[in-house]
Amino acid sequence: MSNLDTPENERFRDSLGTMTEEGKRAWVYPKKPSGKLYQYRKYVSYILLAFLFAAPFVKINGNQFLLFNVLERRFNIFGFPFWPQDFYLFVIMMIIGVLFIIFFTAAFGRIFCGWICPQTIFMEMVFRRIEYWIDGDRGAQMRLDKQEWNAEKVKKRALKWSIFFIISFLIANVFLAYFIGSDRLIQYVFEGPLDHISTLISLFIFTGVFYFIFAWFREQVCIIACPYGRLQSVLLDNKSIVVAYDHKRGEKEVGRAKFKKNEDREASGKGDCIDCFQCVHVCPTGIDIRNGTQLECVNCTACIDACDSIMEAVNLPKGLIRYASEENIEKKIPFKFTPRLKGYTAVLVILIGVLTGLLFLRSDVEANILRLPGQLYEHKENNIISNVFTYKLLNKTTRNIENIHFKLKAPKGTIHTVKQGEIIVPAQDLAEGTLFIEINNSALSGDKNRAVIEVYSGDDLIETTSVTFLGPRSYK
């Protein structure tokens, strides 16, 4: 359908609200929000900001609370260390996380974006609030942008951009701590940044990216770059709870109209919407919520607070813009747990159950014992068959595991390690070596036999594994 064929009341869907007809950037100047929901969002944001800044520096049993060291393939999730061998657990957790977001989107729309997303939190609760403090509210910002570059404008711009850069630098440091570890980051700081040029370059690249996002790109991240907004059209239905304008009440028979004192709007057939545009002016993505659910809406609830304050001022009921489903507005049907949501819940419960079981089965030490390549068996005295193996022991904990020894559980036999003295597996490291397994030929049942090996630390059994033991074909 061409733009000319689109109905006039749907033309807004043919282009982005942050783009002019000439294809240029339309800068958004949102009015400073206020109200009950905004206060709740501030509390949630402060908690999440504290979490985001503290998580890389908090340790549980010596492990960083959150670590995503891709280069060294080391990950810590809530203090639990994960190695490449545990990648399947990491994948299951990512699937659970994605499915959880899909579930909440299907039920409550883009609530994640407005309340929890780090992009929204930093933009609206940190950078935007600094901008209000320096440049003023919506009107003052618009006037300042049109103003010529005099001393006042230079001073405000220099102050704002400097603070933005400093905060971007701090965020980049925390971001880096998630990837290389907080201990290493602190070590690099005290040793001197010039001794670690590659890390310093990475730090300035991250700083530049964050500065670009929060100082210029802003809401375009949510509208253009983030794929989550596009998922709404797939995940939402008329039963999903979203930030919605009650067009039944707002328009009624006559439609919207400006407020007139002492007017009986009920008798005139005019809707409760007084066309004040406060919901538009306060929107951080520059949309008109009265046009219905849109790609750009991040469910930040700023329009709800703005509309409620106007309704209160003109003595009309609150809730003209509220959390509601299309079905609730059209038919007054309350929210129900639909079969689709029940399906998502069932899959989530199953995946969480599987993950919990695998976490309980996960051991702190992983033993990998393999037969030495190219080596067959050796026939020794007293009808003893010997095979040579290499072992790798991975210690996933933050403590050394000492006094390691091996026992052959089945069949009966002995294990000899080549290394003399005590075997120690260093914290978060590997121990490698060679061992011989000797079994009497009479205990073998063919040319390939399964041998079960137990790995002990002192008297504690820490891992059990199995290998293929080769023997003469003629014996059973």
Side-chain angles (χ1 to χ4, degrees), residues 365 391 393 395 399-407 417 419-426 431 454-463:
V365 176
Y391 66 83
L393 301 177
N395 182 359
R399 67 182 190 282
N400 293 341
I401 298 180
E402 303 175 346
N403 194 17
I404 296 290
H405 56 280
F406 303 89
K407 289 183 181 179
T417 55
K419 182 178 179 179
Q420 300 297 319
E422 183 182 357
I423 299 174
I424 298 174
V425 189
E454 294 178 329
V455 184
Y456 283 84
S457 173
D459 296 328
D460 298 326
L461 175 64
I462 57 175
E463 179 69 313

Side-chain angles (χ1 to χ4, degrees), residues 186-389:
I186 293 169
Q187 176 192 337
Y188 288 176
V189 170
F190 282 103
E191 287 178 356
L194 294 179
D195 292 336
H196 306 279
I197 293 296
S198 60
T199 304
L200 184 63
I201 292 171
S202 300
L203 181 62
F204 279 113
I205 289 173
F206 287 143
T207 301
V209 169
F210 287 126
Y211 182 81
F212 169 75
I213 288 173
F214 295 118
W216 190 83
F217 205 49
R218 302 187 158 209
E219 71 285 340
Q220 302 290 82
V221 172
C222 307
I223 298 171
I224 297 173
C226 181
Y228 184 41
R230 271 82 180 160
L231 286 175
Q232 284 192 105
S233 59
V234 178
L235 299 174
L236 296 182
D237 58 24
N238 61 357
K239 298 177 177 62
S240 302
I241 302 293
V242 294
V243 173
Y245 166 66
D246 189 343
H247 59 91
K248 289 282 188 182
R249 177 187 149 195
E251 311 293 319
K252 291 188 179 174
E253 296 84 13
V254 175
R256 310 168 196 163
K258 294 290 183 183
F259 178 74
K260 293 180 181 177
K261 197 173 182 181
N262 300 322
E263 179 187 30
D264 188 349
R265 295 181 75 89
E266 188 72 32
S268 66
K270 295 176 181 177
D272 283 358
C273 177
I274 64 170
D275 219 15
C276 63
F277 280 90
Q278 290 305 301
C279 59
V280 179
H281 294 160
V282 82
C283 179
T285 58
I287 65 167
D288 189 339
I289 192 63
R290 297 173 297 177
N291 288 329
T293 302
Q294 295 156 70
L295 162 71
E296 298 92 334
C297 181
V298 293
N299 281 206
C300 68
T301 70
C303 55
I304 295 179
D305 281 330
C307 186
D308 280 351
S309 67
I310 294 297
M311 291 294 104
E312 192 172 24
V314 298
N315 241 355
L316 289 171
K318 294 180 182 180
L320 181 59
I321 302 174
R322 64 182 186 275
Y323 274 120
S325 66
E326 184 182 330
E327 194 175 61
N328 176 257
I329 290 172
E330 292 283 352
K331 304 175 184 177
K332 305 300 180 186
I333 297 175
F335 174 74
K336 292 180 181 178
F337 212 61
T338 63
R340 183 164 68 131
L341 295 180
K342 290 176 183 177
Y344 287 142
T345 304
V347 175
L348 272 173
V349 169
I350 292 169
L351 285 174
I352 292 171
V354 169
L355 178 64
T356 303
L358 291 173
L359 286 172
F360 274 111
L361 293 173
R362 176 179 178 270
S363 59
D364 289 337
V365 176
E366 186 163 315
N368 191 11
I369 302 176
L370 298 171
R371 193 165 50 82
L372 194 66
Q375 296 291 321
L376 296 175
Y377 61 89
E378 182 183 356
H379 208 143
K380 293 188 172 182
E381 295 179 354
N382 300 321
N383 207 24
I384 297 295
I385 304 299
S386 175
N387 281 201
V388 60
F389 295 85

Side-chain angles (χ1 to χ4, degrees), residues 3-55:
N3 189 43
L4 294 174
D5 296 329
T6 307
E8 189 174 346
N9 63 343
E10 292 290 323
R11 290 277 172 87
F12 71 94
R13 298 191 188 277
D14 292 336
S15 61
L16 295 175
T18 54
M19 200 76 69
T20 65
E21 291 183 2
E22 294 79 25
K24 295 181 180 179
R25 169 81 176 274
W27 200 266
V28 177
Y29 301 92
K31 188 175 182 294
K32 186 177 181 180
S34 62
K36 182 175 68 175
L37 290 173
Y38 184 65
Q39 287 299 320
Y40 292 153
R41 281 179 61 214
K42 283 203 290 188
Y43 299 146
V44 172
S45 297
Y46 294 152
I47 293 169
L48 290 175
L49 283 170
F51 175 82
L52 287 169
F53 277 96

